[in-house]
Amino acid sequence: MFNFKVAGALSVSAMLILSACATGPKVARVESEAVTDVSGRWNDTDSRLVAEEMLKDALKSQWLENAAKEKGKAPTVIVGTVVNRSTEHISVQTFIKDLERELINSGKVDFVAGKGEREEIREERFDQAVNASDETQKGPGKEVGADFMLKGVLNSILDEAGGTKVIFYQIDLEMYDMVNNKKVWIGQKKIKKVVERKRFSF
């Protein structure tokens, strides 16, 4: 009888373990702007908050007021390259889109399509010249040239020992005058994250 009880208990335990192992990943949908730090690496929250903070500084700086006075209207801006020189694989396109959104939604500058987007639009314009009616086709030579270009670099330093990891990010953005290559604004944002990894204990 004793052996049957032990065997039964072992069977139940095995079933519970197998049941736990067979359970799939737990997935929860959260708001897209919720802070979700999992690994400590650069994430969507960093991209959004850095873009918001740095462009808030850029759009209240003197270069914008000077340019608006000189041109008599809001200057036109384009986002150039943002180079990832960090130790991580980071999708800079997400960061560039966050920068573009902040610039457009500010209403303080005009904004034109970037290099990659322009190629597709020009192809469509060429197609219209062949296939669209004269009344609706959009001809060449009417694009708006940018007055300023925003470029940037993202760097990181990783320091790690034992179960602790420190990640330091530095994001540098610069605004260039397209006429003379002058830098009219420089912004810098630094982020330091400390990640403690818990060790399993039984």
Side-chain angles (χ1 to χ4, degrees):
M1 180 63 74
F2 175 78
N3 289 337
F4 281 117
K5 289 183 177 178
V6 171
L10 289 173
S11 296
V12 171
S13 299
M15 290 176 64
L16 289 173
I17 292 172
L18 288 173
S19 177
C21 293
T23 303
K26 183 179 179 181
V27 179
R29 294 188 184 277
V30 298
E31 293 296 326
S32 61
E33 294 190 354
V35 177
T36 50
D37 287 319
V38 178
S39 65
R41 293 174 177 270
W42 177 272
N43 58 25
D44 63 304
T45 301
D46 296 314
S47 177
R48 176 172 51 83
L49 294 181
V50 168
E52 288 177 1
E53 187 173 329
M54 295 190 76
L55 287 188
K56 185 182 292 182
D57 177 62
L59 294 172
K60 69 180 182 183
S61 296
Q62 192 62 40
W63 74 272
L64 182 57
E65 184 178 340
N66 294 343
K69 283 182 179 177
E70 180 182 340
K71 299 177 185 305
K73 64 181 185 62
T76 303
V77 176
I78 187 172
V79 176
T81 55
V82 175
V83 181
N84 174 26
R85 292 179 181 158
S86 74
T87 56
E88 300 174 18
H89 173 72
I90 293 175
S91 173
V92 293
Q93 283 304 315
T94 303
F95 184 51
I96 288 174
K97 287 300 175 187
D98 284 334
L99 294 173
E100 291 180 349
R101 187 194 66 244
E102 291 300 314
L103 285 169
I104 293 172
N105 292 347
S106 73
K108 296 181 177 179
V109 299
D110 288 333
F111 193 81
V112 291
K115 186 177 180 180
E117 296 164 318
R118 284 201 306 271
E119 293 303 317
E120 184 177 2
I121 296 170
R122 286 170 181 166
E123 287 179 10
E124 171 61 20
R125 193 178 294 126
F126 178 78
D127 185 79
Q128 285 187 10
V130 177
N131 299 299
S133 65
D134 293 341
E135 293 77 18
T136 59
Q137 64 179 238
K138 309 300 181 295
K142 296 180 180 178
E143 296 182 13
V144 176
D147 301 309
F148 296 91
M149 175 179 280
L150 181 68
K151 293 166 59 69
V153 180
L154 200 160
N155 284 290
S156 73
I157 299 172
L158 175 63
D159 191 15
E160 189 171 13
T164 303
K165 182 167 64 175
V166 179
I167 313 172
F168 173 77
Y169 297 100
Q170 180 170 313
I171 304 93
D172 294 285
L173 294 178
E174 297 177 338
M175 190 75 77
Y176 293 83
D177 189 323
M178 293 290 291
V179 174
N180 49 29
N181 296 341
K182 283 184 177 179
K183 295 182 182 181
V184 296
W185 172 81
I186 296 177
Q188 187 177 80
K189 174 68 178 177
K190 298 177 180 178
I191 301 172
K192 182 178 282 188
K193 297 182 180 180
V194 179
V195 183
E196 300 280 353
R197 294 196 179 280
K198 294 180 179 178
R199 296 183 177 179
F200 291 105
S201 60
F202 296 92

